[in-house]
Amino acid sequence: MSVQSYIENNKDRFLDELFSLIRIPSISVKQEHKADMEACARRWTEVLLSSGADKAVVMPTTGNPIVYAEKMVSPAAPTVLVYAHYDVMPAEPLDLWKSNPFEPEIHDGRIWARGADDDKGQSMMQVKGFETALQEGLLNCNVKFIFEGEEEIGSPSLEAFCQEHKELLKSDIILVSDTSMVSAEVPSLTTGLRGLAYWELEVTGPNRDLHSGHFGGAVANPINVLCKMIADITGADGRITIPGFYDDVEELSQKERDMIAQVPFDKTKYKQAIGVNALFGEKGYSTLERNSCRPSFDVCGIWGGYIEEGSKTVLPSKAYAKVSCRLVPHQQHEKISKLFEDYINKVAPDYVKVKVMPKHGGEGYVCPIDMPAYRAAEKAVSIAFGKKPLAVRRGGSIPIISTFEQVLGVKTVLMGFGLEQNAIHSPNESCRLDYFFKGIESVAEFYREYTKK
Amino acid sequence: MSVQSYIENNKDRFLDELFSLIRIPSISVKQEHKADMEACARRWTEVLLSSGADKAVVMPTTGNPIVYAEKMVSPAAPTVLVYAHYDVMPAEPLDLWKSNPFEPEIHDGRIWARGADDDKGQSMMQVKGFETALQEGLLNCNVKFIFEGEEEIGSPSLEAFCQEHKELLKSDIILVSDTSMVSAEVPSLTTGLRGLAYWELEVTGPNRDLHSGHFGGAVANPINVLCKMIADITGADGRITIPGFYDDVEELSQKERDMIAQVPFDKTKYKQAIGVNALFGEKGYSTLERNSCRPSFDVCGIWGGYIEEGSKTVLPSKAYAKVSCRLVPHQQHEKISKLFEDYINKVAPDYVKVKVMPKHGGEGYVCPIDMPAYRAAEKAVSIAFGKKPLAVRRGGSIPIISTFEQVLGVKTVLMGFGLEQNAIHSPNESCRLDYFFKGIESVAEFYREYTKK
């Protein structure tokens, strides 16, 4: 039997197994979902065992547990470590969903659900690709799986876990399906990721909400102050104004810029897809450079004062924001975090109190495209998608990838099957059905290619 | 019997009647309280009738109903029109209240509840002062009452009601208890009010929340843009930068500045009371000038993106703010509203869509201190509080006061008994018990003084 027919014959079961995981709302950011995290981890061990793993266990951490599984074919064979995450983003705003985010539906050629792509869908491609390779006699390497439950909150427990279990996680290459392709027409492999730094800001003005008539004009309003501090972080040229912020940013070589310029990109379609009339970003760089190889500053959330129905006049006591920077390789998130904190504390005026609370962060990553594992992935995707994938750097962050390199000394191949229109982190997340099966095929073919003599 | 002993003998009943009104959560800004508005209006008619009105009715408007009542002593006598409002501000944030906002408690010499001061407490002083004057044989003028249920949302129905009922509302002077005194030691009467303009802003970036890794740096973030627009409205000198904004602002005369400088003001205590280390406002003006005679710009509320627990990375689709300006006499709120709207539309960058939604507004007001009614109020407060009240301009807004002047051609005396520490519009609103009864005494004495030959 061929890889393709094995997949074809087991389609419905693959989907059932995926759906059983999607139905568990494993939202790591919310404490109320603690039990769901446990349930999701346990469910993965069942799926991994039935897919062919010799062993699958739930291992505790100080946070959510980690699922570890393995299939050892020979001590002499190379070892692939598959990393994925079983936690998902919150589904809010719920009113924008056209279906229940945790009850998957199939229509219009897609699976619709939170996690359909990120990362339950993609990790299922890894597991079912592994099963297919095993059943088709193509698995000539050892495979280890490590699925964490805290990726969406910055993997706070994973580094310590890696430090403690270096021997267990020993491997030659790490394989991850948690990224996207350039477009449906342009298969690609991700060869670079941005880093991340994240902060929460709290600005306190008066000790209670004041009547804006009695105090307005005489007492600083913390929302006005917060807006001013945020506004000043970006210049009119789209550059971040924090002193020292660009010190470690490696300028793009002309060669790299030429490569990026070759990636098919239709600005009009891009704007239409997201519904904007114009784009804005750092002066002197193209859109594809801006969203992959240049740092950025975004307010992820802001709140303060009266935000309900109607028009309450108030000079509020507090204002808050969640802000983040995407970083590029060589920028260290801890250094940037400190720069930001120092900057905010320096510019904070004396008429308010400002607290900067650094949250999770991580470094960027670059994957060498001459590694055998990268070449195997390239070949595998070519077979499944009928086109050689482009090597592209992307703007997202998987901070743990650089941690793996530092702690385990192992490089990662990012073999992702997402698409921009899958709307990960957004309402109505989905995954193309054909991509789900092509992803499985790619992973099976990867095992064939990786151990080909 | 004297005014004071009548009040002393009826204290408990006065409080019971007040509490029966406070217990009805007549929050005009929330649609869900529609029935409470009706109930509160009906309850007022009962209280007004039992206090001595000949007639009290609930009159419909296109919004919340208006309570009208009257006591006619003689067609030849002058007529006082008492204006008040029976609606209250929302109680949020509820977790900051030390007691149930709609179940009044008495302790530490104060009544604690939403509306204890603004305006249920103060309107009860008017009604019980009227009752006292009537019972003590001091009422030699006609009295009309008009209590509206939409003051906290900008009195949208009251102007039309006045236009329609000019004959019914015919009067010689309007009396209002809805303002504060300078401090417990410094009784005062308010002789000026600021106007108000209020807008809601909606900034739309992409048509859905985007992954900040995939789009950050290449697509404008509507929260960043909103912050920038808000920040730019105020200059480093605390002045509002909107072109033409100060055109109609009357500069303070030296005489007026000298009067303001005589109002007792302890900057250190003021800062301590609201818990700030420093004050901020328009350069070149004192705190008391800034919060009463100069315009201001405040963000009353702001929201957008992910505002729940944890750190979600997102480039949001929308950002919102509720913003307002306090205006000074001669600034027309409709003109300012238009200036603001034009300004925002002009500065809005093409990479977002911006909607400006003007909300309620109103003009400021100045009360001549040589009117007989003002002098009667001055005398009445002197008797009840043992000190001649200062004439001061205040920073709050009661837009309807200037409307009364325009539509009915009648001036208003602002005879308010609030205090800053009453925390109106804030959690733990309260009213000093002694002030409640001194307020009643002042109103009774007003009637004596106003018709003294």
Side-chain angles (χ1 to χ4, degrees):
Chain A
M1 206 157 59
S2 72
V3 161
Q4 286 193 344
S5 26
Y6 184 83
I7 295 169
E8 184 61 35
N9 293 342
N10 290 279
K11 266 182 161 174
D12 293 342
R13 179 172 56 82
F14 290 175
L15 287 171
D16 284 347
E17 290 180 51
L18 170 61
F19 289 2
S20 72
L21 286 153
I22 285 175
R23 289 193 184 100
I24 306 169
S26 48
I27 303 164
S28 49
V29 85
K30 298 197 179 173
Q31 286 303 319
E32 70 210 69
H33 288 285
K34 269 283 169 218
D36 294 317
M37 305 314 293
E38 302 278 345
C40 194
R42 278 197 308 275
R43 178 63 193 140
W44 262 122
T45 59
E46 295 167 8
V47 171
L48 283 156
L49 286 172
S50 71
S51 303
D54 300 325
K55 170 184 161 183
V57 289
V58 175
M59 297 177 76
T61 73
T62 51
N64 293 326
I66 282 173
V67 176
Y68 175 81
E70 61 180 38
K71 170 74 188 178
M72 304 306 277
V73 298
S74 152
T79 301
V80 172
L81 175 61
V82 176
Y83 161 80
H85 63 93
Y86 66 84
D87 62 325
V88 292
M89 273 282 171
E92 283 82 6
L94 293 173
D95 55 328
L96 296 186
W97 280 82
K98 290 174 191 147
S99 61
N100 180 338
F102 299 104
E103 186 45 60
E105 287 184 11
I106 294 180
H107 53 79
D108 301 307
R110 290 177 168 271
I111 306 159
W112 301 87
R114 171 57 85 231
D117 169 337
D118 179 18
D119 187 38
K120 287 173 179 169
Q122 293 217 45
S123 34
M124 192 56 83
M125 298 179 207
Q126 279 291 339
V127 173
K128 293 297 136 184
F130 156 78
E131 177 190 315
T132 304
L134 182 65
Q135 296 300 325
E136 292 299 306
L138 303 170
L139 196 80
N140 299 310
C141 63
N142 304 311
V143 185
K144 296 176 175 177
F145 295 91
I146 175 175
F147 288 6
E148 70 154 321
E150 300 182 327
E151 198 269 348
E152 300 294 8
I153 54 171
S155 307
S157 314
L158 191 55
E159 182 171 350
F161 185 90
C162 291
Q163 294 282 9
E164 258 178 69
H165 300 283
K166 282 186 188 171
E167 192 53 38
L168 184 74
L169 302 176
K170 212 172 161 183
S171 52
D172 298 283
I173 193 72
I174 297 169
L175 197 55
V176 176
S177 294
D178 194 20
T179 49
S180 296
M181 294 191 165
V182 167
S183 75
E185 297 73 36
V186 185
S188 60
L189 288 166
T190 297
T191 54
L193 290 166
R194 287 197 286 187
L196 179 74
Y198 200 107
W199 306 267
E200 202 166 302
L201 293 173
E202 180 190 279
V203 182
T204 306
N207 52 14
R208 57 186 168 89
D209 287 0
L210 300 177
H211 189 292
S212 70
H214 299 169
F215 293 91
V219 176
N221 179 318
I223 304 182
N224 296 45
V225 174
L226 176 63
C227 287
K228 171 80 177 141
M229 292 197 302
I230 287 172
D232 287 349
I233 289 170
T234 320
D237 56 1
R239 279 175 73 88
I240 293 154
T241 61
I242 298 167
F245 186 88
Y246 288 92
D247 283 2
D248 299 326
V249 170
E250 197 182 30
E251 284 304 319
L252 284 170
S253 67
Q254 194 52 49
K255 197 183 148 199
E256 194 144 13
R257 298 190 78 166
D258 291 345
M259 271 180 66
I260 293 169
Q262 281 164 33
V263 175
F265 178 72
D266 183 328
K267 202 169 174 176
T268 306
K269 274 194 190 154
Y270 183 84
K271 290 191 290 180
Q272 272 170 358
I274 57 175
V276 299
N277 294 324
L279 299 172
F280 175 75
E282 190 183 354
K283 224 173 156 173
Y285 294 91
S286 72
T287 295
L288 289 186
E289 287 166 350
R290 288 169 177 171
N291 71 10
S292 65
C293 306
R294 299 298 300 173
S296 62
F297 170 73
D298 273 295
V299 184
C300 299
I302 192 166
W303 70 105
Y306 186 75
I307 61 177
E308 301 193 45
E309 189 189 349
S311 358
K312 182 174 175 181
T313 51
V314 65
L315 194 168
S317 170
K318 302 254 189 190
Y320 301 87
K322 294 175 192 273
V323 301
S324 74
C325 281
R326 296 288 168 168
L327 308 175
V328 295
H330 304 301
Q331 283 188 298
Q332 291 174 291
H333 77 95
E334 280 172 358
K335 186 173 162 190
I336 293 293
S337 194
K338 187 73 176 52
L339 279 181
F340 180 85
E341 202 175 337
D342 291 348
Y343 169 80
I344 291 291
N345 287 326
K346 207 185 119 219
V347 299
D350 58 351
Y351 39 81
V352 294
K353 291 174 201 84
V354 176
K355 260 205 267 183
V356 186
M357 290 157 281
K359 301 285 170 181
H360 67 282
E363 256 65 270
Y365 173 74
V366 175
C367 168
I369 59 174
D370 49 6
M371 291 192 301
Y374 180 81
R375 292 189 182 279
E378 193 174 56
K379 185 76 191 287
V381 171
S382 306
I383 293 168
F385 287 80
K387 258 188 206 175
K388 185 179 165 189
L390 280 180
V392 292
R393 281 171 65 177
R394 307 305 296 265
S397 309
I398 315 179
I400 195 62
I401 304 299
S402 60
T403 307
F404 285 148
E405 190 169 6
Q406 286 155 35
V407 178
L408 304 176
V410 183
K411 281 279 187 186
T412 296
V413 171
L414 296 154
M415 199 178 179
F417 305 102
L419 282 174
E420 188 194 304
Q421 60 264 43
N422 292 4
I424 66 167
H425 293 205
S426 298
N428 306 307
E429 178 176 349
S430 68
C431 176
R432 271 175 62 161
L433 263 183
D434 57 344
Y435 269 53
F436 180 67
F437 298 115
K438 281 184 190 181
I440 294 170
E441 185 183 348
S442 301
V443 173
E445 295 292 346
F446 170 85
Y447 287 114
R448 187 204 308 263
E449 294 299 323
Y450 183 54
T451 51
K452 222 178 211 171
K453 295 295 167 230
Chain B
M1 206 157 60
S2 71
V3 161
Q4 286 192 342
S5 28
Y6 183 83
I7 295 168
E8 184 59 36
N9 294 341
N10 291 280
K11 267 184 158 172
D12 293 343
R13 179 172 57 82
F14 289 176
L15 288 171
D16 283 347
E17 290 180 52
L18 170 60
F19 290 3
S20 73
L21 285 153
I22 285 175
R23 287 193 185 102
I24 305 168
S26 48
I27 304 164
S28 49
V29 86
K30 298 196 179 173
Q31 286 304 318
E32 69 209 70
H33 288 285
K34 268 282 167 216
D36 294 317
M37 306 313 295
E38 301 278 346
C40 194
R42 278 196 308 275
R43 178 63 193 140
W44 262 122
T45 60
E46 294 166 8
V47 171
L48 283 157
L49 287 171
S50 70
S51 304
D54 301 327
K55 167 183 163 183
V57 288
V58 174
M59 296 177 76
T61 73
T62 51
N64 293 325
I66 282 173
V67 176
Y68 174 82
E70 62 180 36
K71 170 74 189 177
M72 303 306 279
V73 298
S74 152
T79 301
V80 172
L81 174 61
V82 176
Y83 162 81
H85 64 92
Y86 66 84
D87 62 325
V88 293
M89 272 284 171
E92 283 82 6
L94 293 173
D95 54 328
L96 296 185
W97 281 82
K98 291 173 189 148
S99 60
N100 180 338
F102 298 105
E103 186 47 60
E105 287 183 12
I106 294 180
H107 54 78
D108 302 307
R110 290 178 167 273
I111 306 159
W112 301 87
R114 171 57 84 230
D117 169 336
D118 180 19
D119 186 40
K120 287 172 178 170
Q122 293 215 47
S123 34
M124 191 56 84
M125 298 178 207
Q126 279 291 339
V127 174
K128 294 297 135 183
F130 156 77
E131 177 190 315
T132 303
L134 182 65
Q135 295 301 326
E136 291 299 305
L138 303 170
L139 196 81
N140 299 308
C141 62
N142 305 310
V143 185
K144 295 176 177 177
F145 296 92
I146 175 175
F147 289 6
E148 71 154 321
E150 301 182 326
E151 198 270 346
E152 300 294 9
I153 53 169
S155 306
S157 314
L158 191 55
E159 182 171 348
F161 185 89
C162 291
Q163 294 281 9
E164 257 176 69
H165 300 283
K166 280 186 190 171
E167 192 53 38
L168 184 74
L169 302 176
K170 210 172 166 183
S171 52
D172 298 284
I173 192 72
I174 297 168
L175 198 55
V176 176
S177 294
D178 194 20
T179 49
S180 297
M181 293 192 166
V182 166
S183 75
E185 298 75 34
V186 185
S188 60
L189 288 166
T190 298
T191 55
L193 290 167
R194 289 196 284 187
L196 178 74
Y198 200 108
W199 306 267
E200 202 168 300
L201 295 173
E202 180 190 282
V203 182
T204 306
N207 53 13
R208 58 185 168 90
D209 287 1
L210 299 178
H211 189 292
S212 69
H214 299 171
F215 293 91
V219 176
N221 179 317
I223 304 182
N224 296 45
V225 174
L226 176 63
C227 286
K228 170 80 177 142
M229 291 197 301
I230 287 172
D232 287 349
I233 288 171
T234 321
D237 56 1
R239 279 174 73 86
I240 292 154
T241 60
I242 298 168
F245 186 87
Y246 289 92
D247 283 0
D248 300 326
V249 171
E250 198 181 29
E251 283 306 318
L252 285 170
S253 67
Q254 194 52 50
K255 198 182 148 200
E256 193 144 15
R257 299 190 78 166
D258 292 345
M259 272 179 65
I260 292 170
Q262 281 166 33
V263 175
F265 179 71
D266 184 327
K267 200 169 173 175
T268 308
K269 274 192 189 157
Y270 183 85
K271 288 191 290 181
Q272 273 169 358
I274 56 174
V276 299
N277 295 324
L279 299 173
F280 176 75
E282 190 183 355
K283 222 172 159 175
Y285 294 92
S286 72
T287 295
L288 290 186
E289 289 167 349
R290 286 169 177 171
N291 70 11
S292 65
C293 306
R294 300 296 301 172
S296 62
F297 171 74
D298 274 296
V299 184
C300 299
I302 193 166
W303 70 104
Y306 186 74
I307 61 178
E308 301 193 45
E309 190 191 347
S311 358
K312 183 175 174 179
T313 50
V314 64
L315 194 169
S317 170
K318 301 256 190 191
Y320 301 87
K322 294 173 192 274
V323 301
S324 74
C325 281
R326 295 288 167 170
L327 308 176
V328 295
H330 303 302
Q331 282 188 297
Q332 290 173 292
H333 77 94
E334 278 171 359
K335 186 173 161 189
I336 293 293
S337 194
K338 186 73 174 53
L339 279 181
F340 180 85
E341 204 175 336
D342 291 348
Y343 169 78
I344 292 291
N345 286 328
K346 206 185 121 220
V347 299
D350 59 351
Y351 38 80
V352 294
K353 290 173 202 84
V354 176
K355 259 205 267 183
V356 186
M357 290 156 281
K359 301 285 170 181
H360 67 281
E363 257 65 271
Y365 173 72
V366 175
C367 168
I369 60 175
D370 49 6
M371 290 192 301
Y374 180 82
R375 293 188 182 281
E378 194 174 54
K379 185 77 192 289
V381 171
S382 305
I383 293 168
F385 286 80
K387 257 188 204 172
K388 184 180 164 190
L390 281 180
V392 292
R393 281 171 65 177
R394 307 305 296 265
S397 310
I398 316 180
I400 194 63
I401 304 299
S402 60
T403 307
F404 286 147
E405 191 169 5
Q406 287 156 33
V407 178
L408 304 176
V410 184
K411 280 279 185 186
T412 296
V413 171
L414 295 154
M415 198 179 181
F417 305 101
L419 283 173
E420 186 192 306
Q421 59 264 46
N422 292 3
I424 66 168
H425 293 205
S426 298
N428 305 305
E429 177 175 349
S430 69
C431 176
R432 271 175 62 159
L433 263 182
D434 57 343
Y435 269 53
F436 181 66
F437 298 115
K438 281 183 191 182
I440 294 171
E441 185 184 348
S442 303
V443 173
E445 294 294 345
F446 170 85
Y447 287 113
R448 187 203 308 264
E449 294 299 323
Y450 183 56
T451 51
K452 223 179 210 171
K453 295 294 162 232

